[in-house]
């Protein structure tokens, strides 16, 4: 929506240490389902949209695509603080909204209804289901660099396999989400595997037989523990994602993003470097 951007700060929320916290920005349209309201805005304009929001300000908006993700993140914070009340390695969720103050009351009331703060920052006291945060990463061009993808584009599958076999002992380069995954790993190591509130997965198009060894060695070199790894050998990822039911899935392939959406899995596209 092309409204002027505005923010509401809850001054009762203690800011987490920005040098330690893992900050995630989420829009209100991701947390709440505002598709009907957005359509009204596009068809009838800002004034009608504002009137609608004001008239329905006490009617909670339904949860959106990222709602379960936010709940799971808050559950991680809760378990981290139960383990260590002085913990600094926490998630800090920033909620971004372009609603004007007069139309933003419904979003604030919706947040209150679901037990989250009516602010840019979600409080750690939010009532979240006791379910681990499940995050799925693709491999090449996401966790790892796109070096092998580039070989595949230029020389096909056989060329990529030969390259991987020749480079088996050399760790792959870092992908755009390696730092994020490492931070999750750091948080995860504070718990035993059985009690961890975080579960991470690798779901890659690579063949486990021909191209899996280097991926595993790279993760080992990084010290990044992954709960489960699936080497799909080019098969669709949707059925596996449907079984895992992650809170978020990261992939650089739009066809895989579409496959995830087809089975109801929230996903994020990581643009390729080439």
């Amino acid at each position: 929506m092309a409204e002027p951007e505005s923010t509401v700060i809850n001054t009762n929320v203690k800011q987490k240490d920005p040098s330690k916290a893992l900050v995630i920005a989420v829009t209100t349209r991701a947390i709440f389902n505002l598709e009907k309201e957005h359509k009204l805005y596009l068809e009838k304009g800002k004034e009608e949209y504002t009137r609608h929001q004001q008239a329905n300000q006490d009617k909670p908006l339904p949860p959106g695509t990222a709602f379960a993700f936010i709940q799971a993140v808050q559950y991680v914070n809760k378990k981290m603080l139960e383990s260590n009340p002085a913990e600094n390695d926490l998630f800090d969720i920033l909620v971004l909204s372009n609603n004007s103050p007069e139309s933003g009351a419904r979003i604030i009331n919706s947040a209150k209804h679901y037990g989250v703060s009516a602010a840019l920052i979600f409080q750690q006291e939010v009532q979240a289901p006791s379910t681990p945060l499940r995050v799925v990463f693709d491999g090449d061009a996401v966790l790892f660099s796109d070096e092998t993808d580039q070989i595949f584009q230029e020389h096909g599958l056989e060329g990529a396999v030969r390259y991987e076999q020749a480079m088996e002992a050399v760790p792959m380069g870092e992908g755009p989400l390696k730092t994020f995954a490492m931070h999750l790993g750091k948080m995860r190591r504070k718990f035993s595997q059985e009690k961890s509130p975080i579960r991470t997965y690798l779901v890659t198009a690579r063949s486990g037989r021909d191209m899996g060894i280097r991926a595993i060695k790279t993760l080992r070199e990084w010290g990044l523990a992954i709960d489960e790894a699936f080497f799909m050998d080019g098969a669709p990822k949707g059925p596996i994602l449907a079984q895992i039911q992650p809170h978020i899935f990261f992939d650089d392939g739009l066809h895989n993003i579409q496959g995830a959406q087809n089975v109801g899995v929230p996903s994020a596209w990581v643009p390729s470097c080439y």
Side-chain angles (χ1 to χ4, degrees):
M1 303 173 197
E3 298 182 42
E5 193 159 287
S6 62
T7 58
V8 183
I9 300 292
N10 185 340
T11 55
N12 294 323
V13 178
K14 183 179 178 181
Q15 297 285 339
K16 300 178 178 66
D17 185 346
S19 66
K20 300 287 183 64
L22 184 57
V23 180
I24 299 175
V26 188
T27 66
T28 50
R29 283 185 62 195
I31 297 175
F32 302 116
N33 187 336
L34 283 157
E35 294 309 306
K36 183 176 77 172
E37 286 73 16
H38 184 53
K39 182 179 180 182
L40 177 66
Y41 180 88
L42 294 176
E43 293 178 353
K44 300 293 183 64
K46 177 182 175 181
E47 290 186 5
E48 185 62 31
Y49 165 81
T50 299
R51 280 195 293 269
H52 172 80
Q53 292 293 69
Q54 289 177 331
N56 292 277
Q57 68 175 19
D58 294 323
K59 182 179 179 181
L61 291 160
T65 303
F67 190 84
F69 172 74
I70 296 300
Q71 287 189 314
V73 160
Q74 297 299 324
Y75 173 63
V76 172
N77 278 358
K78 176 176 179 290
K79 300 303 290 185
M80 297 281 282
L81 290 169
E82 284 178 358
S83 177
N84 177 16
E87 182 62 69
N88 286 320
D89 286 318
L90 300 169
F91 287 103
D92 202 4
I93 306 299
L94 303 183
V95 183
L96 308 179
S97 173
N98 61 359
N99 282 271
S100 57
E102 64 268 20
S103 63
R106 189 180 184 193
I107 291 171
I108 293 173
N109 289 335
S110 296
K112 288 181 179 178
H113 173 78
Y114 291 110
V116 296
S117 64
L120 284 180
I121 301 172
F122 278 69
Q123 298 184 50
Q124 62 197 31
E125 288 81 13
V126 63
Q127 297 300 310
S130 299
T131 179
L133 170 66
R134 298 182 297 278
V135 181
V136 176
F137 297 97
D138 177 31
D140 296 288
V142 176
L143 271 187
F144 312 127
S145 71
D146 62 358
E147 58 180 277
T148 304
D149 269 357
Q150 293 189 54
I151 298 295
F152 175 80
Q153 296 294 329
E154 295 173 7
H155 303 288
L157 180 59
E158 290 186 6
V161 169
R162 286 195 300 270
Y163 176 80
E164 285 291 295
Q165 291 174 341
M167 298 289 288
E168 187 177 294
V170 181
M172 285 182 276
E174 300 180 3
L177 290 189
K178 190 249 188 172
T179 300
F180 174 60
M182 293 296 289
H183 199 119
L184 284 180
K186 180 182 177 183
M187 299 168 82
R188 185 181 174 281
R189 285 194 299 273
K190 298 177 187 292
F191 302 88
S192 67
Q193 185 172 3
E194 295 77 17
K195 295 183 178 181
S196 174
I198 300 172
R199 290 189 65 81
T200 52
Y201 305 79
L202 173 67
V203 178
T204 173
R206 284 171 169 254
S207 162
R209 181 185 67 253
D210 299 319
M211 303 174 69
I213 295 177
R214 191 179 181 210
I216 292 171
K217 286 185 174 180
T218 298
L219 295 174
R220 187 182 303 150
E221 178 72 19
W222 290 351
L224 178 58
I226 294 288
D227 288 287
E228 297 182 53
F230 298 87
F231 296 91
M232 304 302 294
D233 198 12
K237 298 180 180 180
I240 286 294
L241 295 174
Q243 293 298 315
I244 297 173
Q245 283 296 303
H247 293 96
I248 189 71
F249 163 59
F250 296 98
D251 201 290
D252 67 308
L254 288 175
H255 64 289
N256 290 322
I257 296 296
Q258 185 61 57
Q261 293 175 347
N262 289 342
V263 295
V265 170
S267 53
W269 178 53
V270 182
S272 296
C273 301
Y274 61 92

